[in-house]
Amino acid sequence: MTARWTKVGILLIACAVACACAPRELICLKRGGDAWYELRSEHFILRTNLDRGEAKTRSRQLERMHDALAHTISLVLPYQSTPSDQIEVVHFSHPMQLYEFVGESTGGFMSRDQGGVFIASSEGYTGKGRDHLLMHELTHRFLAAQVDRYPRWLTEGLAGFYETLVVDDDKVTVGGLPGGYSQLWFGSSGSFPSLSELREMDAETFYAVKRKRGNYFASWRLIHFLANTSPERYQRFRHYTESLVNGIPEAEAWKLSFGGAGDLNGPVREYRATRTLGKRKVEYFAPDVPEPEI
């Protein structure tokens, strides 16, 4: 999820914080709360109430995610050098602490404020689920660095597309089925928005509670359809994202890229229940990640 938030309340070290958007304060160690660590690495300032060992592990994991994502983002966007500014991350040990901080139920969010990037996340999921949430929010950061405003479906669809990123030996694979999408993928496809509805949807409608899950899935499915079903569609998709990066308005970029491609509504609606998903793979060698400064 992306949203615009101010940085009020993110300095959580050594003090109790009553965040403006949170109904309850976060309690520091002196008042019976958690111990907080700040860890600095090449691309991140991580503040977390995980224990020291887990905090170091999460810091190094973020750097590995960052490197793998920087290596593969050019699959869908024209390559630009990765911004050198550090990303501020608050990572909570429990999802309820994230809910109290944000003031609503969410798995995480990324925001930009005064040129900086801020990500909030939690340890509310284990294993792949937690990693996918972190990668989802980190993808928003990479997209935000390319262009100021993407269509809502594109930024959430790409975040879903990249959240399943897997590093295996000498390659990176993206485009797996995100957790929780199996029922939608193998179920009915009649209740999802059309392409025009999805492309024109404003933020309030896109994130409306009753429609949010279906809109996320429809966005991911469209990305997956365009990126993986044929070389021609993939090239048209690349042309579309390049047009957006170059400042062309969305409607014009879509027309320039997909004009003459025929009506895609039917093929997209029928793109479901494939048991072997096409994925994109690129050669990759993971670097050694140094210990963070604590």
Side-chain angles (χ1 to χ4, degrees):
M1 174 182 179
T2 53
R4 284 194 171 275
W5 295 80
T6 63
K7 290 185 180 178
V8 175
I10 67 173
L11 297 177
L12 304 176
I13 312 300
C15 66
V17 177
C19 179
C21 61
R24 295 172 60 184
E25 64 181 8
L26 303 172
I27 307 302
C28 69
L29 186 62
K30 289 183 179 180
R31 292 173 54 193
D34 297 330
W36 283 83
Y37 292 96
E38 179 180 279
L39 300 91
R40 292 177 177 258
S41 57
E42 182 179 1
H43 297 104
F44 296 92
I45 300 172
L46 171 64
R47 299 183 175 101
T48 182
N49 59 341
L50 296 174
D51 67 36
R52 187 183 181 92
E54 290 178 324
K56 290 172 63 177
T57 298
R58 200 63 65 243
S59 174
R60 298 182 72 184
Q61 179 191 30
L62 284 168
E63 286 293 344
R64 292 189 184 98
M65 287 180 168
H66 189 282
D67 189 80
L69 192 55
H71 185 77
T72 56
I73 201 71
S74 60
L75 286 170
V76 294
L77 296 172
Y79 177 79
Q80 295 182 7
S81 59
T82 305
S84 58
D85 57 308
Q86 287 180 304
I87 305 166
E88 296 184 79
V89 178
V90 172
H91 186 72
F92 296 92
S93 63
H94 192 278
M96 279 305 301
Q97 296 168 323
L98 175 62
Y99 300 163
E100 291 168 7
F101 180 68
V102 177
E104 63 176 287
S105 176
T106 181
F109 71 86
M110 188 282 296
S111 70
R112 289 181 294 173
D113 182 62
Q114 300 178 356
V117 175
F118 173 54
I119 293 175
S121 57
S122 81
E123 201 76 1
Y125 301 83
T126 58
K128 290 182 179 180
R130 176 202 60 220
D131 298 347
H132 289 177
L133 281 170
L134 287 169
M135 184 62 78
H136 184 104
E137 299 307 328
L138 190 54
T139 301
H140 283 310
R141 179 268 200 280
F142 273 79
L143 298 178
Q146 298 281 341
V147 68
D148 285 336
R149 290 191 178 274
Y150 279 110
R152 195 69 53 178
W153 74 269
L154 183 66
T155 184
E156 293 298 355
L158 284 174
F161 187 76
Y162 275 99
E163 75 176 47
T164 59
L165 182 151
V166 175
V167 177
D168 184 22
D169 295 330
D170 58 351
K171 63 180 179 296
V172 173
T173 303
V174 297
L177 187 67
Y181 281 8
S182 292
Q183 185 178 3
L184 299 174
W185 179 245
F186 293 108
S188 171
S189 61
S191 60
F192 301 115
S194 67
L195 263 65
S196 58
E197 290 173 334
L198 194 63
R199 288 175 47 226
E200 296 169 5
M201 202 173 288
D202 60 26
E204 182 178 359
T205 305
F206 191 96
Y207 294 119
V209 174
K210 291 183 178 180
R211 301 183 58 176
K212 180 178 176 180
R213 185 165 179 256
N215 291 336
Y216 268 66
F217 171 77
S219 300
W220 170 85
R221 182 175 63 174
L222 180 54
I223 295 290
H224 208 282
F225 173 82
L226 296 175
N228 288 318
T229 54
S230 78
E232 179 191 356
R233 288 189 185 119
Y234 175 60
Q235 291 305 317
R236 287 178 180 272
F237 181 48
R238 284 296 309 270
H239 185 268
Y240 171 70
T241 59
E242 183 176 0
S243 299
L244 294 175
V245 170
N246 290 333
I248 297 176
E250 194 280 333
E252 184 180 351
W254 185 271
K255 184 177 180 179
L256 287 171
S257 304
F258 293 102
D263 183 7
L264 296 178
N265 274 289
V268 171
R269 188 167 55 250
E270 295 166 5
Y271 184 59
R272 49 181 290 272
T274 303
R275 296 197 174 275
T276 304
L277 282 175
K279 302 173 185 177
R280 304 206 72 87
K281 300 181 180 181
V282 294
E283 186 179 30
Y284 175 70
F285 296 96
D288 292 330
V289 178
E291 289 285 305
E293 175 190 350
I294 303 177

